[in-house]
């Protein structure tokens, strides 16, 4: 239902394909976007840019949390099929792995 497009201008556009319109313009990275991934349920968007990996609420466009503050650039995030684990590669050739909290009811649940 949604499409996310990242740019070198540090912006992420989120489109609702059913409505055919852009619903959010997300900003929060200080460098170009290096990767995007939707959670399997489509409710959360992971974005990589600079040394940060951020999670966003797709419906509201609000930033949920920052998972990474690494000293190297990270990119190409991927959710596990259950949506509870997130993996991204880093420029130092190591994978980074995070456990993703649940955001049910607007609260962060580990």
């Amino acid at each position: 239902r949604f499409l996310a497009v990242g740019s070198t201008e540090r912006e992420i556009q989120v489109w609702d394909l059913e409505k055919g319109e852009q619903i959010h313009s997300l900003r929060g990275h200080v460098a170009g976007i290096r990767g995007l991934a939707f959670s399997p349920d489509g409710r959360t968007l992971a974005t990589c840019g600079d040394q940060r990996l951020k999670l966003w609420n797709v419906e509201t466009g609000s930033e949920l949390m920052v998972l990474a503050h690494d000293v190297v650039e990270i990119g190409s995030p991927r959710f596990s099929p259950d949506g509870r684990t997130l993996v991204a590669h880093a420029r130092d050739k190591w994978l980074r792995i995070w456990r993703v909290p649940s955001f049910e009811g607007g609260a962060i649940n580990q």
Side-chain angles (χ1 to χ4, degrees):
R1 174 177 172 202
F2 297 105
L3 170 71
V5 179
S7 76
T8 56
E9 301 299 317
R10 305 178 308 266
E11 177 186 17
I12 301 130
Q13 296 177 354
V14 180
W15 294 78
D16 184 322
L17 298 178
E18 290 178 356
K19 295 178 182 177
E21 61 186 32
Q22 182 179 333
I23 57 171
H24 303 298
S25 177
L26 309 176
R27 293 187 175 270
H29 290 284
V30 296
I33 307 306
R34 298 180 47 85
L36 307 161
F38 285 102
S39 61
D41 66 6
R43 298 173 60 184
T44 305
L45 175 66
T47 63
C48 293
D50 46 64
Q51 292 83 20
R52 295 180 197 93
L53 188 144
K54 294 180 177 239
L55 298 180
W56 306 82
N57 180 299
V58 174
E59 290 287 334
T60 66
S62 61
E63 183 179 304
L64 297 169
M65 69 185 322
V66 178
L67 287 177
H69 291 286
D70 281 344
V71 295
V72 296
E73 289 183 3
I74 54 176
S76 302
R78 296 292 179 262
F79 281 93
S80 63
D82 68 0
R84 297 300 313 264
T85 304
L86 190 60
V87 177
H89 76 78
R91 189 169 281 228
D92 63 6
K93 299 183 182 176
W94 286 88
L95 288 177
R96 302 297 197 267
I97 302 171
W98 298 269
R99 190 78 172 142
V100 179
S102 168
F103 299 102
E104 294 298 318
I108 298 174
N109 303 305
Q110 298 290 339

